[in-house]
Amino acid sequence: MTDHRPDAPPALGGPGGTRSHGFSTRAVHAGSEPDPATGAVITPVYLTSTFKQDGVGALRQGLGAGYEYSRSANPTRTALEECLAALEATADGDGTRAYAFASGLAAEDTVLRALLRPGDHVIVPDDAYGGTYRLVARVGGPWGLDFTPVHLADLDAVRAAVRPGATRLVWVETPTNPLLAIADIAALAEIAHAAGALLVVDNTFATPYLQMPLALGADLVVHSTTKYCGGHSDVIGGALVVAPGLEAPWMAGVGDVGPSVAERIGFHQNAMGAVAGPFDAWLVQRGLKTLSIRMERHCDNAERVAAALLEHPRVGRVYYPGLPDHPGHEVAARQMRRFGGMVSFRVNGGIEEALGVCKRTQVFILAESLGGVESLIEHPGRMTHASVAGSELEVPDDLIRLSVGIEDAEDLVADLAQALD
Ligand SMILES: Cc1ncc(COP(=O)(O)O)c(C=O)c1O
């Protein structure tokens, strides 16, 4: 099966899908050209594995041409990829390529395998999402990947960890999961580029609405679209967005593919096959259409919740980049539109108290994941970050993480108060 992804950057469809339009217009229209066959305003879910060919080795011509087999490309997935490419823009706003995957981790795995060889070195955040750490350490490690966890807010520590000629990627999460630490994307891009490495930003927590890493100098953006992009806790998905003209010169010819990062990611997406299915792609694209208004409400509510927690006598430290005393507040204010919907805090009284609070909330649902319209509460030490227990990435056991939803702020604040009291 050959890779039939179009080589040219995809054309943006729809009446408002051009780069000159604002974020919300692009979110609604980019990739959403009315269906060429029927005029359907919303891209149909193309539930087909294969496409009729005009002759042996001759793909169909005319309307909807170019499709062969849905692992290589599917029109519903193409629509989502065009929308993601339009939203994760560069400073001059053009030429990005996006790729949709079956999960955030499938997207991350594709980056590692498309751009690294055994012996290569990666810098990862010292409080990376547990699954990212597990992928790098326990899948990449035995395969021959070398990695160093670093506190990315400490730029000197990052400089010291770089190994010229071996460090290929600096992997950034900002804000981080679950401690909401902030990394300076522009400064890290400079450090990575000076060492000949690429800067990868996991933009899951911020979303392109709040933060545009490619415009700040990053090379690749990763998303778990399971979270805010999808926005309704009903789909698992991932995405990669690649800056235009990007090369990984150390990979030239490895696997018979050139150094172009877009070419390598496209090749591996098809060759490894962890693609987003048509219905999953459709759900994520539907979520993206309301991303801007959802994020505004998530931010409003998170600000209210963080302020209420700060006042509560049973709460220790509150982690929210919007608080002026957060160590990353200034950088966050520079590189983010607002501060996001995630809030973490420590409970006085240790792990038993923290577990008790997680049990007692009624509006906040005790569950892993984040970024949906409903508020969630979790205990990272026992839940999302159990895989980093005993490692340098272990999190405090009295820590609680909140994904603040879009309900009424008064109800969220009252729910936390009754659970803490
Ligand atoms: C910041 C971050 N990146 C990546 C992932 C992995 O995404 P997925 O669960 O869609 O594989 C997650 C999942 O929680 C995450 O929080």
Side-chain angles (χ1 to χ4, degrees):
M1 193 63 57
T2 47
D3 181 359
H4 280 282
R5 298 179 53 88
D7 286 333
L12 294 176
T18 70
R19 309 274 176 186
S20 60
H21 288 107
F23 185 92
S24 300
T25 309
R26 281 179 281 143
V28 170
H29 292 288
S32 287
E33 194 158 9
D35 184 49
T38 63
V41 168
I42 298 301
T43 307
V45 187
Y46 282 94
L47 287 173
T48 184
S49 59
T50 191
F51 299 82
K52 181 181 182 301
Q53 305 196 9
D54 281 350
V56 176
L59 296 189
R60 226 159 59 83
Q61 301 296 307
L63 271 185
Y67 291 98
E68 178 191 21
Y69 184 65
S70 281
R71 170 162 42 71
S72 310
N74 172 285
T76 317
R77 194 173 93 223
T78 304
L80 169 62
E81 290 173 340
E82 290 184 1
C83 188
L84 286 162
L87 296 183
E88 283 289 7
T90 55
D92 57 13
D94 241 333
T96 50
R97 296 291 306 271
Y99 306 83
F101 291 88
S103 71
L105 280 172
E108 295 184 21
D109 181 41
T110 304
V111 173
L112 301 186
R113 288 204 262 172
L115 302 183
L116 300 171
R117 294 162 304 175
D120 284 341
H121 175 246
V122 178
I123 292 176
V124 293
D126 68 350
D127 60 347
Y129 164 61
T132 299
Y133 179 77
R134 181 178 54 201
L135 176 70
V136 169
R138 294 178 55 193
V139 179
W143 173 77
L145 192 65
D146 214 355
F147 65 95
T148 311
V150 180
H151 186 56
L152 297 185
D154 181 350
L155 297 177
D156 287 333
V158 178
R159 281 186 202 99
V162 166
R163 299 186 200 157
T167 303
R168 306 301 188 192
L169 302 179
V170 177
W171 194 284
V172 177
E173 268 181 48
T174 182
T176 59
N177 179 5
L179 289 171
L180 302 164
I182 298 294
D184 184 333
I185 295 173
L188 289 165
E190 256 185 61
I191 296 173
H193 295 160
L198 301 179
L199 193 81
V200 181
V201 176
D202 183 332
N203 207 23
T204 298
F205 270 38
T207 82
Y209 179 69
L210 297 180
Q211 171 173 280
M212 301 185 76
L214 300 179
L216 293 163
D219 301 299
L220 278 131
V221 167
V222 176
H223 278 285
S224 169
T225 54
T226 312
K227 310 296 172 358
Y228 290 104
C229 290
H232 296 75
S233 305
D234 51 12
V235 62
I236 298 285
L240 296 177
V241 189
V242 181
L246 193 65
E247 298 214 329
W250 59 91
M251 294 302 285
V254 178
D256 290 336
V257 187
S260 152
V261 172
E263 191 189 329
R264 296 196 70 85
I265 298 287
F267 171 78
H268 280 77
Q269 183 193 39
N270 181 49
M272 286 160 43
V275 294
F279 188 51
D280 290 355
W282 187 88
L283 282 171
V284 173
Q285 190 170 10
R286 184 170 71 160
L288 286 175
K289 289 175 194 283
T290 56
L291 182 65
S292 58
I293 50 174
R294 281 188 289 109
M295 290 316 291
E296 290 289 349
R297 176 72 169 224
H298 284 295
C299 293
D300 289 345
N301 284 358
E303 284 169 16
R304 291 276 299 276
V305 163
L309 289 172
L310 269 184
E311 299 292 311
H312 200 286
R314 300 189 68 181
V315 170
R317 188 162 165 198
V318 179
Y319 301 83
Y320 185 62
L323 297 173
D325 67 347
H326 184 289
H329 177 69
E330 233 174 79
V331 175
R334 209 183 323 125
Q335 69 189 14
M336 297 177 76
R337 192 195 290 254
R338 294 184 70 186
F339 302 101
M342 300 299 297
V343 179
S344 294
F345 64 103
R346 295 177 74 169
V347 185
N348 296 333
I351 183 165
E352 290 312 322
E353 277 305 309
L355 296 177
V357 171
C358 290
K359 262 195 218 142
R360 287 192 291 271
T361 56
Q362 288 163 7
V363 180
F364 281 84
I365 300 169
L366 176 61
E368 298 198 355
S369 200
L370 59 112
V373 290
E374 65 290 311
S375 291
L376 301 181
I377 186 167
E378 70 121 359
H379 183 266
R382 289 272 176 94
M383 294 169 68
T384 47
H385 289 63
S387 63
V388 296
S391 79
E392 295 149 271
L393 280 78
E394 187 167 313
V395 294
D397 64 6
D398 55 3
L399 185 77
I400 290 178
R401 188 189 77 180
L402 303 175
S403 171
V404 181
I406 65 166
E407 301 95 332
D408 293 298
E410 304 73 46
D411 293 333
L412 300 180
V413 168
D415 189 36
L416 289 168
Q418 68 75 26
L420 281 159
D421 295 339

